[in-house]
Amino acid sequence: MTKHAIKTALLQVHSVIGLALSLVLALVGITGATMSFEDEIQASLNVGIMRVEARSTPMLTPDQLIARLQTNPDFGKVSAVTMASDPSAAVRIRFARNEGGARPSSIYVDPYDARVLGAPRGEQFFITVRKLHRWLLLPGDAKGYGRQITGLSAICLIAMLISGIVLRWPHRARSVKMWLKPNLALRGRGLHRSLHAVAGTWVLPIYLVMVLTGLWYSFDWYKNGATWLLSRPSNAAAPMKPKPARDVGAADAKPLALDRVWATFLHEQGSRFATAQLTLPPGADTVVRIRSWARDASHPGARDEFRIDAVTGRLASSDIYADKTIGERTLSSVLDIHRGSIFGWLGKLLFMVAAALMPLLVVTGLLLYLSRRRHRRLSRPTLENLVPDERIARP
């Protein structure tokens, strides 16, 4: 196969995939850029309810907080409690889904008297944006087919990135200017091609990182394979198993004692933690998961995780970030790598810009496709342009 034939075939593949997935890729790019600084936006919108006046009185324990909230019939079952070592930080309470499958808005409460400070503004907006980004707002959420569509789109994007870089390979491959500087003096099709090629070159490494980490959330086989590859054999082969069922009338008769869980956690962590999130178990399970972030944590993925029995207060397992291998730290930081936050504020900005450029690539790619079709149509010889002998020979 000649070089021209290979490039023609790659162009067809590039164009077909781009046309088929243009809307999905544009949506994923816009929503991803929107969520890049979600934490900072939420903190700015809710600064008035996330802080309280520090007082000399002791803060309420988790059981005391929940007990006071449960007296209000408007609140459902508590699913998570986020507490901080900072005496001026409010406690965030999340609720379990109701019978209709909807999750009520979380609330911030005063850690000293459980007074409700309010629901965070912007929470529902970002929940909707996240569902659109991950599952295209299709039914079933993570269990629906939207998850597979975005996963297949990510795989196809890899094919587009590879074919695109091959198609634009310049004759002067060592020229940095040729690779990275668009020719804004051009007009029409030439300008569209320059913008599409150069923008694609700039974002290619970032898109590869986004795709390789995004597949983690789309396919279990990919997640399991990455865990097997990057984890130590003992951790990959022996995930934590659920506790065996207790005799009826024993565990089921005893309510969860979150204060025991909290006491065990404080014994393990002491004053090293800045924020800790207690996630209550679903159903009849008794093990509470606590995710803890240290004061000097470099990114959200740099967290310790504990599992503590809420009946006995016994530590079931601990997963300390400092003890992890490089591969295991990578696994725990997949989301931070995906959004660029592992590289700090500048990394988040670069990843946001790259995601926001996806609509530009979609639009310029579509314009180039329409231009090629129009060019081929105009270049075809018509009967009126043929000489008499050619008209007779033409069937």
Side-chain angles (χ1 to χ4, degrees), residues 133 209-211 213-214 217 333-341 351:
H133 181 77
V209 173
M210 289 179 173
V211 169
T213 51
Y217 300 98
S333 306
V334 168
L335 180 59
D336 302 296
I337 298 173
H338 181 72
R339 61 192 298 196
S341 60
F351 275 56

Side-chain angles (χ1 to χ4, degrees), residues 106-182:
S106 62
I107 59 173
Y108 282 95
V109 301
D110 192 313
Y112 297 96
D113 55 16
R115 177 173 56 90
V116 177
L117 303 175
R121 290 185 294 176
E123 181 182 60
Q124 292 302 320
F125 168 77
F126 281 108
I127 288 176
T128 302
V129 172
R130 189 174 298 107
K131 289 182 177 181
L132 181 59
H133 181 77
R134 293 182 175 179
W135 311 309
L136 306 177
L137 289 180
L138 295 175
D141 290 346
K143 297 181 180 179
Y145 49 87
R147 181 186 179 199
Q148 281 70 40
I149 293 177
T150 54
L152 290 174
S153 300
I155 294 176
C156 291
L157 181 57
I158 296 178
M160 292 186 65
L161 293 173
I162 296 174
S163 60
I165 204 67
V166 173
L167 288 170
R168 79 145 306 190
W169 197 273
H171 296 294
R172 293 179 293 165
R174 296 183 180 181
S175 172
V176 177
K177 179 179 178 181
M178 183 71 69
W179 281 104
L180 303 179
K181 183 180 179 181

Side-chain angles (χ1 to χ4, degrees), residues 36-326:
S36 294
F37 287 91
E38 175 183 353
D39 296 337
E40 290 79 1
I41 294 173
Q42 291 259 46
S44 176
L45 290 175
N46 300 290
V47 64
I49 62 174
M50 293 176 65
R51 311 294 297 179
V52 298
E53 182 181 354
R55 306 195 283 274
S56 59
T57 55
M59 291 186 289
L60 298 176
T61 65
D63 280 335
Q64 291 172 333
L65 284 168
I66 293 177
R68 297 196 183 189
L69 287 175
Q70 295 304 316
T71 60
N72 190 331
D74 295 334
F75 298 134
K77 179 182 177 182
V78 174
S79 64
V81 180
T82 302
M83 306 179 70
S85 59
D86 183 354
S88 63
V91 174
R92 187 170 188 174
I93 305 291
R94 299 180 188 270
F95 299 97
R97 297 184 184 276
N98 55 32
E99 296 180 355
R103 188 183 297 276
S105 175
S106 62
I107 59 173
Y108 282 95
V109 301
D110 192 313
Y112 297 96
D113 55 16
R115 177 173 56 90
V116 177
L117 303 175
R121 290 185 294 176
E123 181 182 60
Q124 292 302 320
F125 168 77
F126 281 108
I127 288 176
T128 302
V129 172
R130 189 174 298 107
K131 289 182 177 181
L132 181 59
H133 181 77
R134 293 182 175 179
W135 311 309
L136 306 177
L137 289 180
L138 295 175
D141 290 346
K143 297 181 180 179
Y145 49 87
R147 181 186 179 199
Q148 281 70 40
I149 293 177
T150 54
L152 290 174
S153 300
I155 294 176
C156 291
L157 181 57
I158 296 178
M160 292 186 65
L161 293 173
I162 296 174
S163 60
I165 204 67
V166 173
L167 288 170
R168 79 145 306 190
W169 197 273
H171 296 294
R172 293 179 293 165
R174 296 183 180 181
S175 172
V176 177
K177 179 179 178 181
M178 183 71 69
W179 281 104
L180 303 179
K181 183 180 179 181
N183 189 348
L184 301 180
L186 298 173
R187 293 292 181 270
R189 183 181 179 184
L191 177 61
H192 299 156
R193 183 187 294 110
S194 180
L195 289 175
H196 189 82
V198 173
T201 302
W202 274 102
V203 302
L204 186 144
I206 296 179
Y207 281 2
L208 285 176
V209 173
M210 289 179 173
V211 169
L212 294 176
T213 51
L215 289 173
W216 172 276
Y217 300 98
S218 294
F219 300 113
D220 291 334
W221 58 263
Y222 185 89
K223 183 176 182 179
N224 295 335
T227 302
W228 172 83
L229 181 65
L230 297 177
S231 295
R232 285 170 289 187
S234 57
N235 292 344
M240 181 177 176
K241 298 179 180 179
K243 291 179 64 64
R246 296 171 178 262
D247 295 335
V248 177
D252 295 341
K254 296 180 180 179
L256 301 181
L258 294 184
D259 287 356
R260 292 181 181 176
V261 173
W262 189 243
T264 302
F265 167 74
L266 291 179
H267 176 74
E268 294 292 328
Q269 285 288 85
S271 59
R272 294 191 301 273
F273 83 99
T275 307
Q277 182 185 71
L278 293 77
T279 301
L280 279 64
D285 196 3
T286 62
V287 176
V288 174
R289 183 185 69 183
I290 299 184
R291 287 180 171 176
S292 170
W293 290 267
R295 301 175 188 273
D296 57 349
S298 57
H299 57 278
R303 62 178 181 265
D304 300 332
E305 186 166 320
F306 304 88
R307 293 179 185 268
I308 303 172
D309 192 297
V311 174
T312 64
R314 181 180 63 86
L315 177 65
S317 69
S318 61
D319 191 14
I320 308 301
Y321 183 79
D323 297 336
K324 294 182 179 181
T325 64
I326 295 178

